[in-house]
Amino acid sequence: MLVRTRFERLEPEFLLTGVSTRVAAVGLLLFVTARAFAALAAPTIGVAVGLALGLRSPTVAVTIVVAVTGLVTLAVTLGAAGRLAILLVGRRLVQGGRYRDLLVVFGWIPLLVVVLVLRELSVSVLVPFAWLDGLPVAWFVDLALLGANDLATVDPWHGLSALGTVLVGVPLFAGETAALARRIWETEPVDKTAACGSKSLLAEGRLERCLIDRVSRPTLMVARARWLTERRVPRGVLSTGYVLLFAAVILLPVFSIAGLPLLLLIGMCLGLAAGIVPSVDPIGVEYRTLPLLLTTVDGRQFVGGLLLAALGIGLPLVTMVVLPLGLASAAGIAETVGVVLVGVAVCACTAAVCVATGMDADRDEFVPVPFFFTDVPVYAQTGSVSFVRLGAVFAIVSLVTLPAVLGNAPSVYEAAGATGLSMGAVRLGSLLLTVLVAAGVSRIAFRIAVRRFRTYRL
């Protein structure tokens, strides 16, 4: 805290007086180190003198002072370098919103993987703490008691290693501090000055070149605008956390108890998440531009654009994840392709149902609320209305996937196999039936969403 306060207070003075950044950084390190020594000098000398008298070894007082001095100096230089490194990374994350969003939204995944691996290997959480005895910090105890001769059980090599760590680490971290300070105070921009992340909604891109003869330009514009809006303020991406909660609390226990393949669960969850990202809360996302949309874009173009935005995310995502997993598992090629089709169909169905239910919200119910990653408030409904609506979407999509769930249950396809039917045909047929049901529900929800868009009143 002391290092951080001094850096924040003295940085403007360094820049105004024209002092060299390297000199200022080194001077600041010396100042903080002196302040730390001033606070620790009395207790350190008291402990050193007390142990020297108690152990009847004057040299232990010298080694204690050397150990504390080295440890404090190393801690100050390491702390200053770490603080500046965190500041530099923080500025980069603020400037690169996409990477920051990915870090915040998906940063829990490595921690979850580590916990699952430790649990799978039956490794106790207390095991890593046993490594602390071998860390260089513990060597300073050996260095402090090195002057006690044979009166204390210490490892001389650990003590000398601690001294070597100080002699090597302090210059290294001090140089790193000076380099980072120069990078932050002299070359790093204070804020973004150029337009970053802005793209034209009318310029032709890959999407237009692929679909310009099949999809109208307003529909493509709506899809492109939704992707750009989501990139700037990831409301839909953060809403996928509810998909994770729904899958962990409800779907995963059901699949585990019924013995259903996890590949189907992965395909369904990916399709559900991809469908929610561009279609959740359409009135709240388009709140400021809603009067313009209602007068310039047709209902089919608006709903079709959101559906296209969902498929543009879900189709590659489901294919790239499910297809390799299916080919690497015991599932056949036909069943893997069937799961991919189910995931894509669930994505389209989720998007259509989400837009249909979201277009039923009254614009007067939306109020400005603070949101992540932006200083500009977003518009959303207060209370439990949005959660109930999202729960309804989950319920409808779950009913749509019911044929695939039942057809892949061992009790169902084994019973069908006992009657002479092929078990593989039953499982594959249930997947195709789910695709057909999802297509029918998507068509109905699409028409409802278009009608609500056309009859919407401000």
Side-chain angles (χ1 to χ4, degrees), residues 379-428:
Y379 288 85
Q381 290 175 296
T382 58
S384 60
V385 180
S386 58
F387 298 101
V388 173
R389 186 182 299 115
L390 195 60
V393 173
F394 288 162
I396 294 173
V397 176
S398 299
L399 292 177
V400 169
T401 59
L402 193 58
V405 173
L406 293 177
N408 284 270
S411 58
V412 175
Y413 64 74
E414 289 176 359
T419 61
L421 296 176
S422 172
M423 292 186 293
V426 172
R427 300 175 65 176
L428 185 60

Side-chain angles (χ1 to χ4, degrees), residues 437-448:
V437 173
V441 174
S442 300
R443 186 178 181 85
I444 297 173
F446 184 88
R447 292 179 176 178
I448 295 174

Side-chain angles (χ1 to χ4, degrees), residues 7 11 15 21-22 24-26 84 175-187:
F7 268 106
E11 179 179 346
L15 298 178
T21 306
R22 294 181 182 273
V26 174
L84 292 177
E176 187 69 20
T177 300
L180 289 172
R182 183 177 183 182
R183 179 68 177 272
I184 294 173
W185 295 343
E186 295 182 4
T187 63

Side-chain angles (χ1 to χ4, degrees), residues 142-158:
D142 295 322
L143 177 60
L145 298 178
L146 195 61
N149 299 326
D150 297 333
L151 299 178
T153 304
V154 297
D155 190 343
W157 290 108
H158 282 179

Side-chain angles (χ1 to χ4, degrees), residues 100-290:
R100 175 199 59 203
D101 298 345
L102 292 175
L103 177 64
V104 173
V105 175
F106 301 108
W108 54 270
I109 295 180
L111 299 178
L112 179 60
V113 171
V114 171
V115 172
L116 292 178
V117 169
L118 292 178
R119 183 177 179 182
E120 185 69 21
L121 298 177
S122 300
V123 178
S124 174
V125 182
L126 298 178
V127 172
F129 290 97
W131 300 344
L132 294 177
D133 294 337
L135 292 179
V137 177
W139 297 347
F140 285 91
V141 178
D142 295 322
L143 177 60
L145 298 178
L146 195 61
N149 299 326
D150 297 333
L151 299 178
T153 304
V154 297
D155 190 343
W157 290 108
H158 282 179
L160 296 177
S161 299
L163 186 60
T165 302
V166 173
L167 296 178
V168 175
V170 169
L172 179 64
F173 292 130
E176 187 69 20
T177 300
L180 289 172
R182 183 177 183 182
R183 179 68 177 272
I184 294 173
W185 295 343
E186 295 182 4
T187 63
E188 193 71 11
V190 177
D191 198 0
K192 293 186 295 185
T193 57
C196 180
S198 298
K199 295 184 179 180
S200 173
L201 300 179
L202 301 177
E204 291 189 1
R206 302 177 188 175
L207 189 64
E208 286 76 10
R209 289 193 294 268
C210 296
L211 302 175
I212 191 62
D213 297 332
R214 302 176 180 85
V215 182
S216 64
R217 184 174 292 275
T219 302
L220 296 174
M221 184 193 68
V222 171
R224 183 184 292 277
R226 189 64 190 91
W227 287 335
L228 183 59
T229 303
E230 187 62 31
R231 181 181 178 182
R232 292 173 175 172
V233 183
R235 297 179 65 173
V237 173
L238 293 179
S239 297
T240 57
Y242 297 110
V243 179
L244 177 65
L245 181 64
F246 176 69
V249 175
I250 297 179
L251 295 183
L252 186 58
V254 171
F255 272 64
S256 300
I257 295 173
L260 296 169
L262 292 180
L263 185 65
L264 179 60
L265 174 63
I266 294 174
M268 291 170 48
C269 292
L270 290 177
L272 188 61
I276 282 179
V277 169
S279 59
V280 66
D281 200 5
I283 301 299
V285 173
E286 304 292 346
Y287 183 88
R288 295 182 178 89
T289 60
L290 191 58

